[in-house]
Amino acid sequence: MSGQSLLVPGELSPTRPVPGNIRRPEYVGKPAPTPYTGPEVQTPETIEAMRTAGRIAARAMAEAAKIIAPGVTTDQLDKVAHDYMCDYGAYPSTLGYRGFPKSLCTSVNEVICHGIPDSTVLRDGDIVNLDVTAYIGGVHGDNNATYLVGEVDDESRLLVERTREALNRAIKAVKPGRQINIIGRVIESYAKRFGYGVVRDFTGHGINSSFHSGLIVPHYDSPHATTVIQPGMTFTIEPMLTLGTHEYDMWDDGWTVVTKDRKRTAQFEHTLVVTDTGADILTLP
């Protein structure tokens, strides 16, 4: 694996402004969101609104990914995604969510998830996950992907490719009538072929007018994930695979989650709607 030094916190830039005409999620300015009490099955109107939100989120992520290169800071990635979402009338869902200070998450190397964009400079050989969620039309669209920075070692490159494949296989496993633990069963069985760890404590989730509806989508074969998949349900699948342990530590910022053994980790995510025969991806650019 790459001999890169471990990540350390950088300096935060000032909070980026959002134009006043852009609708804010209800949790902005509050310590926590109001718990969601609505259904997991959504109306056709909500699903179409989520398709719009998902498209903006996917395009914002793609725009930020275009500038990924050695020497670029994670804060620069945040600016690109922030500006894109605002330009298209969307609010960056992470900005102000439970106090999160930025408009996307940038998780580098050993960071499992929720890395905060700052003055950290990407280096040749790094891998970086961008996690972008857009809020528009009263709903959210959430996606993420892991990208290579310059020349990356084969072990890291394969981890990234196989994590993407784990997501693809999980999406294909979504069928009405199946229990939601089929998703984790597929991911875990695939990851075990390569000796990868599967992160357990951070999961996929229900999403709609709420950023996190309360529905939990584990990425391992959980006997407790017995919810039956139904047409019209909307949720994310976002497997996090590691080169070592699935156990983690959290930085003092209360957000940045790193592997306990500090080995690398990758993640991919889409927002889905369940159809009569499978799943439709809502976060396509």
Side-chain angles (χ1 to χ4, degrees):
M1 195 186 80
S2 171
Q4 300 279 43
S5 58
L6 297 178
L7 206 66
V8 296
E11 296 294 323
L12 286 180
S13 65
T15 301
R16 303 191 195 282
V18 176
N21 64 316
I22 292 177
R23 178 179 173 184
R24 271 74 168 153
E26 59 83 23
Y27 53 74
V28 174
K30 296 162 55 175
T34 302
Y36 179 72
T37 58
E40 297 297 343
V41 172
Q42 303 304 310
T43 66
E45 293 76 18
T46 296
I47 292 166
E48 283 310 303
M50 290 181 66
R51 199 180 301 278
T52 298
R55 185 180 302 119
I56 292 172
R59 288 176 177 171
M61 184 173 72
E63 286 300 308
K66 287 179 182 178
I67 71 164
I68 290 175
V72 172
T73 68
T74 54
D75 188 67
Q76 288 174 278
L77 301 175
D78 181 80
K79 183 179 188 306
V80 171
H82 176 95
D83 289 349
Y84 187 93
M85 286 185 273
C86 291
D87 286 348
Y88 284 85
Y91 185 91
S93 300
T94 61
L95 184 61
Y97 179 78
R98 296 184 181 270
F100 191 84
K102 292 295 174 181
S103 299
L104 81 164
C105 300
T106 50
S107 300
V108 180
N109 295 344
E110 69 270 19
V111 179
I112 294 172
C113 58
H114 304 160
I116 300 174
D118 58 19
S119 61
T120 297
V121 177
L122 297 177
R123 303 160 296 181
D124 187 62
D126 284 342
I127 59 175
V128 58
N129 178 274
L130 306 185
D131 192 339
V132 182
T133 309
Y135 177 79
I136 189 172
V139 296
H140 301 268
D142 186 3
N143 68 162
N144 76 53
T146 303
Y147 299 90
L148 310 181
V149 185
E151 295 295 322
V152 174
D153 65 273
D154 286 345
E155 186 178 38
S156 299
R157 178 181 54 79
L158 286 170
L159 173 68
V160 171
E161 291 176 2
R162 289 164 177 168
T163 306
R164 182 191 293 111
E165 176 63 14
L167 172 60
N168 291 339
R169 288 175 180 233
I171 292 171
K172 290 176 183 176
V174 174
K175 306 285 184 187
R178 289 180 169 176
Q179 291 185 343
I180 213 157
N181 62 4
I182 185 65
I183 293 167
R185 189 176 310 142
V186 166
I187 291 168
E188 188 172 42
S189 64
Y190 178 71
K192 280 184 173 179
R193 289 168 48 182
F194 310 104
Y196 295 154
V198 181
V199 173
R200 300 166 78 90
D201 291 351
F202 300 89
T203 68
H205 52 89
I207 185 171
N208 38 65
S209 59
S210 174
F211 196 170
H212 300 86
S213 72
L215 175 68
I216 295 173
V217 183
H219 302 122
Y220 65 100
D221 188 5
S222 169
H224 306 294
T226 56
T227 300
V228 176
I229 297 170
Q230 302 176 59
M233 290 176 70
T234 49
F235 53 81
T236 72
I237 303 176
E238 45 187 298
M240 292 150 263
L241 305 186
T242 72
L243 290 175
T245 183
H246 68 268
E247 296 180 347
Y248 67 92
D249 294 319
M250 186 174 288
W251 283 4
D252 291 341
D253 61 24
W255 285 105
T256 306
V257 179
V258 295
T259 53
K260 187 169 281 292
D261 57 13
R262 303 304 190 262
K263 291 186 177 180
R264 288 189 170 187
T265 175
Q267 182 184 19
F268 284 83
E269 174 187 24
H270 275 305
T271 295
L272 311 171
V273 60
V274 181
T275 67
D276 289 337
T277 58
D280 188 13
I281 298 173
L282 298 177
T283 39
L284 291 175

